Amino acid sequence: MDPRQLIDRRHLDFLLHEVLDVEDLCRYARFAEHGRETFAAAIDLAQQIALDKFLPHNRKADLQEPRLVDGQVELIPEIGEAVAAFCAAGFPAVLADYDRGGMQMPFVVGAACDALFCSANAGTIAYPTLARAAANLLDVYATDEQKRLYMQPILEGRYFGTMCLSEPQAGSSLADLRTTATPQADGSYRISGAKMWISAGDHELGENIVHLVLARIHGAPAGVRGISLFIVPRWRVDADGRRGARNDVRLAGLNHKMGQRASVNTFLKFGEQGDCVGYLVGAPNNGLAQMFHMMNEERIGVGLSAIQQAAASYQYALAYARERHQGRHPDQKDAASPAVALIEHADVRRMLLLQKCYVEGGQMLAFDAALLVDRQHDADEQVREHSHLLLELLTPIVKAWNSDYALRANDLAIQVFGGYGYTRDYPVEQCWRDNRINPIHEGTNGIQALDLLGRKALMRDGAALRLLLQRIAQTCAQVADDATLAPFAADLQRAAGLVGTVTQAAGRQMAAGEVRAVLANAGHYLHLLGHVAVAWGWLRMAAAAQRALAAGTAEADFYAGKLQSCRAFFATELPQVELAARLIGATDRSAYDMRDAWF
């Protein structure tokens, strides 16, 4: 397959401009100097670097994972070359203000650029994008001095960054973290503890690594209310920004992963010698709320990365199905007749169509959420508030639905290849392995589901969910007079009605004390709402395709493919919401009342 086929720019342009109309953002003062041309230039540059620097070493980095040699992490040199090209092109500062040397691009355009790097090499892109997310957090919460010393070098591509939350004994249970912070007379803190599963936690790609560490100040309240956030640099920095002595942060070991092996994953110990210096970010005991600024950005990134790994395996499977000739149609009895291309077989077409449904629907979901980040720059206070509410609701769905269904797409891609797909002769098995982490990190999908049903869907008396259902109803009303789209609109309205009904019932049951019983079905709820959100996206894509076809176009096949994919999603996937709704709304929960001893 021609590597350029890995990235479907035509579909990306369709989403950004024909469906989401991202150029409308240029009416905001922040993006006024931009236009479709500057957006395209950034995406073109990202595509070039992704194909030239990231894709070529994707397999090599998988086979030659990071090693610990004489106390240092050793990476293959191509990783450093790719990251250097990314930084030289200015992508660490793609979102940053002009006066900080940034491009001041919309978040959704930055996400589109990141998507191309994720398709090419999900492991290597983790180094600079994690750093950029750390810089974005510091931009909101850090002091001017902290920004000068730690954020600005990240934007310049000289420093990198991490997020240090999980601990060996606690995992995702942040209320149980034990890392401590002791105040010093000079206003700094001494940090002591250990952090596990830290991506990009130690390497030699830049001058410094800025660890953002959650810790508990002595005497702080128990649980998550007593967590604070600290800057803990790998190397200490003086007041002039010069790198000084090594901080008391020690690499205790590497975690050897199933996939995404290019990105080193570490076990770090802080303060073993009693001299780990950290600096408080913002007010004490607000650390978890501050860290969620980075986590939520990363959750959108995880959902996008997951669906891009599915997009890559879909492109590989599509090219293979067109090139590989094998077998004949069931009604062809002449064994001497030529073999047909795999794509001619009905079951192969079914698997390819499902991949297209998951991939393009998931991309629409992720870019729609990214656009909501930018809508919070609107001059209208209500637009800002509504964008924030919708983003709160959709973020766990972007992360969890995309990572779940991206894996299903990866699995179907392997099946299209048959036995070859299960070997390392083709890249689809690596796509699956690289993707398998995404339902786990940045908050497992189970945690996302608990957050969605236990908090997001019911917050402010269901305001965010009502807003989403109103937006869905508006789209359905807009296409109600179109004979092709009206049946889809009717199906979507019924599914949206189910969401409203089961959410209200779940809220009443939790208010009556059945919290554990209701939240046992949180995973079903996330898939229910996720399917409805993705179906909404497909209806909007179908409407854009209908407009293009009605206007007359030389790309009739391209737009017909969108309509058929919408039809397939509504026919095969959307009906699944009825089963999920029944499970969530069931009053008899005895089917789930399995006891430990019975296993």
Side-chain angles (χ1 to χ4, degrees), residues 491 494-496 498-499 502 524 527-532 535 569 573-584:
D491 288 344
R494 283 192 291 273
L498 280 176
V499 170
V502 300
H524 294 303
H527 283 194
L528 163 68
L529 190 49
H531 263 55
V532 169
F569 191 88
E573 292 294 321
L574 190 59
Q576 296 177 25
V577 304
E578 296 183 9
L579 173 59
R582 285 202 301 272
L583 290 170
I584 299 162

Side-chain angles (χ1 to χ4, degrees), residues 30 87 90-104 128 131-140 142-161 207-210 212 231 237-242:
R30 179 170 181 78
C87 294
F91 283 111
V94 66
L95 307 176
D97 296 348
Y98 293 133
D99 60 9
R100 292 194 177 277
M103 298 185 195
Q104 206 163 302
R132 189 173 63 211
N136 291 341
L137 182 152
L138 293 173
D139 193 35
V140 175
T143 65
D144 289 341
E145 180 75 352
Q146 289 171 339
K147 291 177 186 179
R148 180 178 68 84
L149 294 175
Y150 301 107
M151 183 189 81
Q152 190 62 35
I154 293 176
L155 299 179
E156 295 168 1
R158 298 189 293 113
Y159 285 13
F160 289 81
E207 300 171 22
N208 208 345
I209 301 174
V210 180
L212 295 180
I231 293 170
V237 178
D238 68 18
D240 294 324
R242 293 188 296 262

